[in-house]
Amino acid sequence: MSLTVQETKARNKEMIDEVLKVYPEKTAKRRAKHLGTFEEGKPDCGVKSNIKSVPGVMTIRGCAYAGSKGVVWGPIKDMIHISHGPVGCGQYSWAARRNYYIGTTGIDTFVTMQFTSDFQEKDIVFGGDKKLEKIMDEIQVLFPLNHGITVQSECPIGLIGDDIEAVSKKKSKEYNGKTIVPVRCEGFRGVSQSLGHHIANDTIRDWVFDKMGDKPATFASSPYDVAIIGDYNIGGDAWSSRILLEEMGLRVIAQWSGDGSLAELENTPKAKLNVLHCYRSMNYISRHMEEKYGIPWVEYNFFGPSKIEASLREIASHFDDKIKEGAERVIAKYKPMMQAVVDKYKPRLAGKKVMLFVGGLRPRHVIGAYEDLGMDVVGTGYEFGHNDDYQRTTHYVKDGTLIYDDVTGYEFEKFVEAVQPDLVGSGIKEKYVFQKMGVPFRQMHSWDYSGPYHGYDGFAIFARDMDMAINNPVWGLTKAPWK
Amino acid sequence: MSQNTDNVIDHFNLFRSPEYVEMFENKKKNFENPETVEKVEEIREWTKTWEYREKNFARDSLTVNPAKACQPLGAVFAAVGFESTLPFVHGSQGCVAYYRSHFSRHFKEPSSCVSSSMTEDAAVFGGLNNMIDGLANAYNMYKPKMIAVSTTCMAEVIGDDLNAFIKSSKEKGSVPVEFDVPFAHTPAFVGSHITGYDNTLKGIIEHFWDGKAGTVPAEVRAPNGSINFIGGFDGYTVGNMREIKRIFGLMGIDYTILADNSDVWDTPADGEFRMYDGGTTLEQARLALNAKATISMQEYCTEKTMKFIETKEHDVANFNHPVGVAATDKFLMEVARLTGKTVPAELEKERGRLVDAIADSSAHIHGKKFAIYGDPDMCMGLAGFLMELGAEPVHVLATNGSKDWAVKMQALFDSSPFGKNCHAYAGKDLWHMRSLLFTEPVDFLIGNTYGKYLERDTGTPLIRIGFPIFDRHHHHRYPVWGYQGAMNVLVWILDKIFDEMDKNTIVPAKTDYSYDIIR
C-alpha cells in the first residue's frame, strides 16, 4: 500500500512529533529543527544543520580528527600521518576506511599503518613537542622513502598548548625543505568530521601549495588535464571513475586523496579543471584553487548510469569537441552493459523503499543510482552536512521525503520502524541494529567491504549488492515458524 | 572493463584487468613521483636485516602499529556487562563513534554508547553542562537502569571532576537522585583498554558496595558461599562466559559473573533490536560483596579491581587467561578449593578428551616455533598452552605489557624446556614484531586481525586469536577457556598447520607426493 504525497507528509509529521516526545523539552526543541519533510519547490530541505550534537543522544557523528586523518589526509599514500596524542584515535581508524592504494606498504607507502606518538601522562604534563621532534627523526631513519609527514592532532594537543607548527617548520628545515604539515584537527573542534575536512583542506593550501611557490610541474601540461577531487577510492571508487575520464580523452593528473601522493597534490594547480565528487569534504580547496590559480571546478556524480551520463556531459562541456565526442563515445560504449544491469536487477528491486543516513555526498548522490533500479529513496539525512548540502539535495529528492539531520540512534530506529523500508543504507554502527529488526541493510560508507560503486563498473556491483541484501533468503527466517 | 551481469566482478578481480593495470602504471609513472623499483627493493630488503632491527628497537618515541587501544574502550566493554546499562563517555563525541565501530566490527553486533559531545566551549568552561544535558537525554531516551560514566582524554586534560559533575546533574534533575550513575576516570594517556576495563569495573563495584559516592550507607558484608567471576577484557567473551556458566553449572556452584557481556554482544535476529540484553543485574552487583571469593581470569585487566575486592575480605584468585590442560586444571582446582565443590566426572571426561586430541595431533605441532602478540594475560595463556603442546613460543609481545609482565613471562618460559629460547617483549609494537619475524623467523604467528600485515610482509602464517578480529567471522562465539575452549584453540592451530602443509605441497609433479590424503 503506497501513500499519497499528502498522506506521507502527514505521516512524517506524526512520526516526528512522536519521536520528539521522548526528549526533555529543551532537547525536543533543538532536535525538532533537524527533522522534517522535503516540500517541493523549497530551496532547501527545511532542516537546520551543522550544529552541535545534543549530548547523550547517541549521535552517529565523529570528530575533526576523523575528518582530517580519516578522510582527507589519511589516504595520501607516500606520506606518513602521525596520530599525535594518545593511542586510541589512530587505533580505531587504522585501515578501517578501505582507501585502496597501490604501493609497498611500510617502504614507499603507509596508508594502512598506524603511526602514533602514543601520549603518556608525562607528555600531557610536560608537553609533546620534544617527543614529536624525536618521532620525526625516527621516521626519517626507519622509513627513508617517505615523501612527507603530517601531524594529525588529537584532542590533548590543542589543550596543552603544544606548538606543532614550530616543530614542523624546524624539522622541515633540518630535512632540506621536506613537506611536514601540522594539522590542528583536535577532535573537540567544530561539531563533526566536517571542520576536520576544512582544516585539512586549509593545511594543504598553507603547507603544500604555498610552500611550492612557483616550482615548475614535473610533467608537461596538456589542455586536457583534470584532477579528481573528493574521491577517497573506497573499494577502488576513484579508479573506476578515473578510467572513464581517461577513456573520454581527459588526463587525470591527480587524485584527491584516494591512492593519492604528495606529488599529485602539488600537480593540481596545473589542472585545467577540477572535478569534484565529495563537495562536502573538498569544496574548500576547490574554491581556493579557483581564486588563486583560476582553475574552474565542477561537481559530478558517478553513481548510477543516469547521473554518470549527465556528469560526463557536464565535465565535457568544459572542453573542446574532441572531449565532448569522447564523452558520447564512452556513454554509448557502456549503454548496453548498463541496460543489461538494469534489465537484470530492476525487476527484482523496483518499488523497493530505501532509507539512507550517511556522510559526505552520499545522502543525495546515491539516490539516482537507486532510481535507475526503480527503487525509491523515502528518507535521507546527513551525518555532517551543511545547508548547502541540503540545498543540493532538493535536486535529488521527491516531494514528501523524510529528512533527518544528525539523526540520533533512537530517532533512526523509530523512523525505520514506522516507515518499514525494504533497505537501509547507513554505517557500521547502524548495520546490526537494523538487521536484528529484520531490515535488509548495506553499509554505505565502506560499501560493506564490496565496491567500487563509482562509475559504470561500480554500478553493476552496486546493483548486485542491493539485490543480495534485499533478496537475501535469511529475511524469511527471522520469525520462528511456531510463533 | 565490461561487466557481465551473469558474473559481476568487484574489487577482487576488476582491477586486475589489463586496462586498469595499465592505468595504474601510467598514473604512477607520470604523476606520482615514485621511488624507483630498485630503491624500493633495496629498502625492503634492508628492513629485513639485523641492522634495521637494531635501529627499529632503538626508537623510543615513535609507535608503529601498536597492539593496544585506549582506556575508554575498556570502560565501555565493562559497562555493557551490566543489566540495561548505558555507557556514557564524557568528552569528545568522535571517540564514542570509534568505540562503537570497533566493537561492531569485531562482534558483528550493535554497540550502544553515548557521548557528552564536548566541543570548544566545553574545553574552555568545562563540560558540566554537557553532563547535565547528556545524562537527562540518555536517561529519557534509552531508559537504562544504570548509566556508567567514563572519560575521554579531552575531559581528563581539562580536569573535569566526574563525582562533582554527577552530583550536580542529579541536583539539577537530570536523573533521579537514587538512579545509579557509577563512574571512573579513564584517561587515554595512561595504560590501555585493559586499564579502562579495570577502572570502570572497580568504579561500578565500589559504587554498589561503598555507598554510591557517599549518598547511601555502605553495604555491610554478610558472607555467603557464592563466588564472583570476572572475565576481563576478552574478545571471546561471548563464548567464554557461556562456557564458564556451563562449567560452574556442572560443578553446582553459586556464582555471580561481574560484567557479563555475553548476551548483549550476541543478540538474536528475530525482528527485535535489543539495546540491552542479559548482563549482571544491579542487585547481583550489590550482593556480590557477600561472596566468599572472587576470581579474575585476567590479572592485568583487574589489578585495581582485585586489590579493592581484597579489602572486602574475599579470597581472591588471579589467573592469566588460562588456556590448555594444566592451566584449566589449575583453574578448576582453585574453583573447587574456594567453593568446597569437587570437579565433576563430566569435566574430567572433557579433560581426557582434550588430552586425547592433543595426543592425536601433537606430532604436527611439536617443535614448531610461534610468535604471539596480544594483551598480556592472553599472551601468557597461549604461551603456556603452546609449551604444553611441545611448541616454542619464541617471541611473545604485549604492547600494553609491563616490566612485571615480562618477568612473569620469563618465569613461565623457565618452567618448561620448550621455553628455553623464548623471549617476552613488553611495550613493543607490531613494527618491532616485523623485525623479529625477519631476523628470527618462526613457523606461525598468533595475533589479531592486524597480524595479516605481518603475514603479508614476512610470510609467517597468521593464526587469528585475539582482539580485534575483523576479517574472520564468528570465532568470538567459541570459548577458548575450559577444556572445550582449549580444544577450539587446538583445532584453530591445527587447521592452519594443515592448510600450510597442503599449500606447500600442492604443486603437481613437483611437491605433491607429500600432498597427503591422511595426515
Side-chain angles (χ1 to χ4, degrees):
Chain A
M1 181 196 67
S2 64
L3 304 174
T4 66
V5 172
Q6 284 320 310
E7 284 167 347
T8 303
K9 287 178 180 176
R11 183 212 53 192
N12 288 356
K13 188 174 178 314
E14 214 172 281
M15 270 181 339
I16 291 169
D17 290 346
E18 191 58 37
V19 299
L20 290 173
K21 280 187 196 154
V22 79
Y23 293 113
E25 200 186 327
K26 186 168 109 184
T27 305
K29 251 189 204 158
R30 283 175 70 178
R31 283 304 306 159
K33 296 176 186 157
H34 298 265
L35 307 173
T37 296
F38 172 62
E39 300 277 353
E40 189 67 52
K42 292 276 170 65
D44 59 27
C45 297
V47 295
K48 293 269 186 223
S49 58
N50 196 30
I51 295 172
K52 270 197 277 191
S53 301
V54 185
V57 297
M58 212 172 324
T59 173
I60 291 165
R61 283 172 168 176
C63 65
Y65 164 89
S68 176
K69 188 266 184 179
V71 175
V72 174
W73 273 114
I76 297 293
K77 63 183 177 181
D78 57 351
M79 297 175 79
I80 286 176
H81 311 289
I82 304 166
S83 292
H84 190 39
V87 70
C89 318
Q91 201 70 5
Y92 310 124
S93 57
W94 180 6
R97 211 162 169 265
R98 302 188 67 232
N99 310 108
Y100 280 9
Y101 64 102
I102 289 172
T104 307
T105 303
I107 308 300
D108 66 349
T109 46
F110 311 93
V111 179
T112 49
M113 295 176 67
Q114 134 74 328
F115 292 86
T116 175
S117 44
D118 188 13
F119 260 36
Q120 301 300 304
E121 195 147 28
K122 64 177 192 305
D123 302 313
I124 300 287
V125 176
F126 300 111
D129 285 344
K130 284 262 164 355
K131 187 175 197 178
L132 183 58
E133 285 189 29
K134 189 82 200 298
I135 283 172
M136 290 180 184
D137 293 340
E138 290 174 354
I139 284 174
Q140 286 304 97
V141 172
L142 294 170
F143 304 95
L145 302 187
N146 83 80
H147 286 177
I149 296 171
T150 73
V151 182
Q152 305 290 327
S153 302
E154 300 170 6
C155 287
I157 305 306
L159 299 171
I160 62 176
D162 273 12
D163 192 349
I164 59 170
E165 288 80 8
V167 173
S168 300
K169 278 184 192 153
K170 180 180 163 194
K171 283 290 155 186
S172 173
K173 212 167 169 186
E174 205 177 309
Y175 293 115
N176 303 317
K178 185 184 189 68
T179 299
I180 301 181
V181 183
V183 190
R184 289 280 178 187
C185 55
E186 289 88 345
F188 61 82
R189 294 192 196 277
V191 304
S192 67
Q193 292 93 312
S194 185
L195 188 63
H197 305 141
H198 197 154
I199 290 167
N201 276 222
D202 287 353
T203 57
I204 299 177
R205 177 193 66 199
D206 297 343
W207 298 82
V208 178
F209 287 172
D210 288 0
K211 181 173 168 290
M212 287 175 346
D214 296 324
K215 214 163 92 179
T218 53
F219 59 92
S221 276
S222 91
Y224 304 121
D225 291 353
V226 299
I228 293 177
I229 310 285
D231 190 324
Y232 301 101
N233 206 31
I234 290 162
D237 281 339
W239 293 334
S240 55
S241 303
R242 180 186 186 110
I243 203 160
L244 299 180
L245 298 175
E246 292 190 347
E247 259 189 286
M248 70 191 266
L250 297 170
R251 195 170 75 145
V252 179
I253 61 168
Q255 281 178 212
W256 291 52
S257 55
D259 193 37
S261 54
L262 176 61
E264 287 168 78
L265 297 183
E266 293 175 348
N267 293 345
T268 308
K270 309 288 190 301
K272 300 296 183 291
L273 179 72
N274 280 327
V275 299
L276 177 60
H277 208 240
C278 183
Y279 170 86
R280 179 71 276 131
S281 57
M282 285 201 176
N283 77 86
Y284 318 101
I285 198 72
S286 305
R287 291 176 197 281
H288 171 72
M289 283 191 268
E290 183 176 40
E291 280 166 28
K292 177 139 188 205
Y293 308 105
I295 307 172
W297 52 281
V298 57
E299 291 175 60
Y300 71 109
N301 178 347
F302 268 9
F303 288 103
S306 303
K307 293 295 171 192
I308 297 174
E309 193 172 317
S311 294
L312 289 175
R313 291 199 174 110
E314 172 71 23
I315 291 168
S317 74
H318 291 259
F319 294 93
D320 59 15
D321 285 351
K322 187 188 141 198
I323 300 300
K324 288 181 186 133
E325 285 157 19
E328 294 306 323
R329 197 177 56 243
V330 171
I331 292 165
K333 176 185 162 189
Y334 287 98
K335 214 156 208 160
M337 170 181 127
M338 288 298 97
Q339 194 57 50
V341 172
V342 170
D343 288 347
K344 175 169 180 185
Y345 292 106
K346 195 169 178 175
R348 301 167 62 81
L349 297 171
K352 300 287 185 193
K353 287 185 293 186
V354 184
M355 288 176 78
L356 299 170
F357 185 76
V358 226
L361 73 167
R362 291 169 257 209
R364 63 175 178 276
H365 258 46
V366 296
I367 292 176
Y370 283 112
E371 288 177 349
D372 284 336
L373 295 167
M375 300 168 75
D376 213 0
V377 175
V378 297
T380 191
Y382 290 81
E383 207 175 307
F384 46 81
H386 298 201
N387 198 45
D388 50 5
D389 290 301
Y390 284 101
Q391 287 167 355
R392 284 166 166 76
T393 307
T394 61
H395 305 299
Y396 288 89
V397 291
K398 290 182 181 148
D399 197 19
T401 302
L402 180 67
I403 307 288
Y404 29 82
D405 177 72
D406 183 22
V407 79
T408 68
Y410 177 84
E411 290 162 0
F412 203 10
E413 188 192 331
K414 294 296 158 197
F415 289 155
V416 169
E417 252 172 35
V419 175
Q420 300 211 314
D422 302 291
L423 179 74
V424 173
S426 191
I428 182 69
K429 303 191 290 298
E430 295 71 59
K431 178 180 174 77
Y432 302 106
V433 171
F434 295 115
Q435 290 188 175
K436 303 283 177 192
M437 289 164 65
V439 181
F441 187 97
R442 285 297 295 188
Q443 288 185 66
M444 293 302 283
H445 297 261
S446 66
W447 305 149
D448 239 317
Y449 322 118
S450 175
Y453 281 177
H454 293 177
Y456 288 122
D457 282 335
F459 180 66
I461 304 165
F462 173 85
R464 178 199 69 181
D465 289 356
M466 297 311 137
D467 176 50
M468 76 163 89
I470 289 177
N471 294 309
N472 183 344
V474 76
W475 304 126
L477 303 173
T478 55
K479 287 277 171 248
W482 54 86
K483 274 206 149 172
Chain B
M1 186 65 206
S2 208
Q3 291 273 18
N4 173 351
T5 51
D6 290 334
N7 181 25
V8 171
I9 57 171
D10 52 26
H11 58 92
F12 290 103
N13 291 306
L14 179 65
F15 301 124
R16 298 178 191 192
S17 65
E19 52 271 61
Y20 277 106
V21 171
E22 191 192 338
M23 185 181 89
F24 298 152
E25 281 164 7
N26 287 332
K27 174 179 185 290
K28 182 175 177 182
K29 186 174 66 192
N30 296 328
F31 304 112
E32 290 182 2
N33 185 27
E35 299 293 333
T36 63
V37 175
E38 296 73 34
K39 191 76 195 165
V40 171
E41 207 41 41
E42 178 199 321
I43 299 297
R44 199 164 74 94
E45 286 303 319
W46 175 58
T47 64
K48 300 177 181 175
T49 63
W50 275 91
E51 183 202 341
Y52 188 87
R53 169 176 167 163
E54 274 152 27
K55 287 187 193 306
N56 190 10
F57 273 76
R59 71 185 143 95
D60 60 16
S61 298
L62 172 67
T63 298
V64 185
N65 298 352
K68 67 171 181 180
C70 67
Q71 278 212 49
L73 186 81
V76 173
F77 188 101
V80 300
F82 291 85
E83 171 198 18
S84 298
T85 294
L86 186 64
F88 180 111
V89 189
H90 182 54
S92 301
Q93 71 192 15
C95 313
V96 167
Y98 279 142
Y99 315 141
R100 295 180 64 207
S101 303
H102 209 63
F103 285 129
S104 286
R105 287 175 179 139
H106 175 82
F107 291 111
K108 316 295 178 198
E109 289 288 322
S111 199
S112 301
C113 175
V114 297
S115 162
S116 64
S117 294
M118 286 165 66
T119 54
E120 280 111 328
D121 52 346
V124 178
F125 301 111
L128 176 59
N129 287 330
N130 298 66
M131 177 75 79
I132 293 170
D133 291 348
L135 286 178
N137 289 325
Y139 176 77
N140 282 290
M141 293 172 76
Y142 297 115
K143 316 271 185 285
K145 287 191 179 157
M146 173 162 90
I147 297 177
V149 180
S150 57
T151 47
T152 77
C153 53
M154 179 205 182
E156 288 300 320
V157 172
I158 66 175
D160 279 3
D161 178 348
L162 291 182
N163 190 15
F165 280 19
I166 292 165
K167 280 204 171 101
S168 303
S169 299
K170 287 188 168 181
E171 280 160 19
K172 298 258 183 194
S174 297
V175 296
V177 176
E178 67 284 358
F179 185 77
D180 290 308
V181 189
F183 63 90
H185 288 272
T186 50
F189 44 82
V190 176
S192 72
H193 55 287
I194 60 175
T195 322
Y197 176 96
D198 192 13
N199 283 331
T200 296
L201 187 58
K202 174 173 175 276
I204 292 171
I205 296 173
E206 202 172 8
H207 169 85
F208 285 108
W209 295 1
D210 274 4
K212 307 190 174 184
T215 59
V216 296
E219 291 286 320
V220 178
R221 180 170 141 89
N224 57 33
S226 75
I227 59 164
N228 300 324
F229 177 90
I230 299 171
F233 191 108
D234 171 24
Y236 298 89
T237 185
V238 170
N240 275 340
M241 289 296 186
R242 289 180 187 159
E243 182 64 8
I244 291 299
K245 288 179 205 175
R246 189 183 69 88
I247 291 171
F248 286 0
L250 288 172
M251 292 179 76
I253 290 170
D254 182 11
Y255 66 92
T256 301
I257 292 180
L258 290 171
D260 175 6
N261 33 33
S262 60
D263 284 340
V264 75
W265 274 325
D266 193 21
T267 61
D270 59 359
E272 182 196 345
F273 161 54
R274 297 160 176 81
M275 178 177 270
Y276 314 108
D277 200 19
T280 312
T281 67
L282 308 191
E283 186 65 0
Q284 283 172 333
R286 182 175 73 79
L287 295 173
L289 172 66
N290 300 329
K292 67 190 290 194
T294 298
I295 294 170
S296 166
M297 279 307 238
Q298 298 197 72
E299 180 185 10
Y300 293 103
C301 284
T302 50
E303 288 173 293
K304 288 182 202 145
T305 303
M306 292 304 276
K307 218 167 265 166
F308 170 74
I309 290 174
E310 255 187 294
T311 66
K312 304 297 177 188
E313 286 156 17
H314 285 213
D315 267 350
V316 296
N318 284 296
F319 296 90
N320 298 103
H321 200 288
V323 180
V325 181
T328 306
D329 291 347
K330 199 175 138 208
F331 167 67
L332 290 180
M333 287 192 295
E334 187 64 10
V335 171
R337 187 188 68 80
L338 291 169
T339 57
K341 306 279 181 182
T342 50
V343 180
E346 198 165 337
L347 287 176
E348 210 173 302
K349 227 171 169 182
E350 284 177 19
R351 181 185 189 279
R353 291 180 191 127
L354 174 63
V355 173
D356 182 58
I358 292 171
D360 294 346
S361 312
S362 77
H364 295 293
I365 305 181
H366 192 102
K368 294 271 189 305
K369 291 185 162 72
F370 285 75
I372 306 171
Y373 72 85
D375 283 344
D377 293 293
M378 178 176 252
C379 281
M380 293 188 77
L382 291 172
F385 186 38
L386 285 177
M387 294 195 298
E388 195 168 69
L389 297 170
E392 298 171 26
V394 175
H395 313 300
V396 181
L397 180 149
T399 308
N400 50 357
S402 59
K403 282 195 186 112
D404 169 63
W405 168 80
V407 169
K408 236 179 140 172
M409 269 312 308
Q410 191 54 51
L412 181 66
F413 295 143
D414 293 343
S415 72
S416 162
F418 297 98
K420 200 174 157 217
N421 298 312
C422 301
H423 194 83
Y425 296 90
K428 299 298 177 193
D429 56 43
L430 301 188
W431 200 254
H432 292 114
M433 180 62 101
R434 189 177 184 272
S435 282
L436 293 173
L437 295 177
F438 275 129
T439 50
E440 295 177 85
V442 296
D443 299 300
F444 294 94
L445 170 67
I446 295 181
N448 61 16
T449 278
Y450 297 113
K452 76 192 292 178
Y453 295 135
L454 292 168
E455 180 173 29
R456 174 195 59 196
D457 289 0
T458 69
T460 318
L462 171 68
I463 299 163
R464 285 169 177 75
I465 304 176
F467 175 90
I469 306 286
F470 293 152
D471 64 339
R472 295 293 185 274
H473 292 191
H474 308 308
H475 286 87
H476 66 274
R477 299 174 194 273
Y478 293 81
V480 300
W481 292 340
Y483 301 118
Q484 303 274 44
M487 185 78 85
N488 290 329
V489 175
L490 175 69
V491 172
W492 295 340
I493 292 172
L494 284 168
D495 278 350
K496 182 59 89 176
I497 289 176
F498 290 130
D499 283 350
E500 286 299 310
M501 269 181 203
D502 286 345
K503 238 165 75 183
N504 291 333
T505 56
I506 202 167
V507 184
K510 280 228 185 314
T511 60
D512 69 340
Y513 43 82
S514 302
Y515 193 64
D516 277 317
I517 208 73
I518 308 164
R519 296 207 193 271

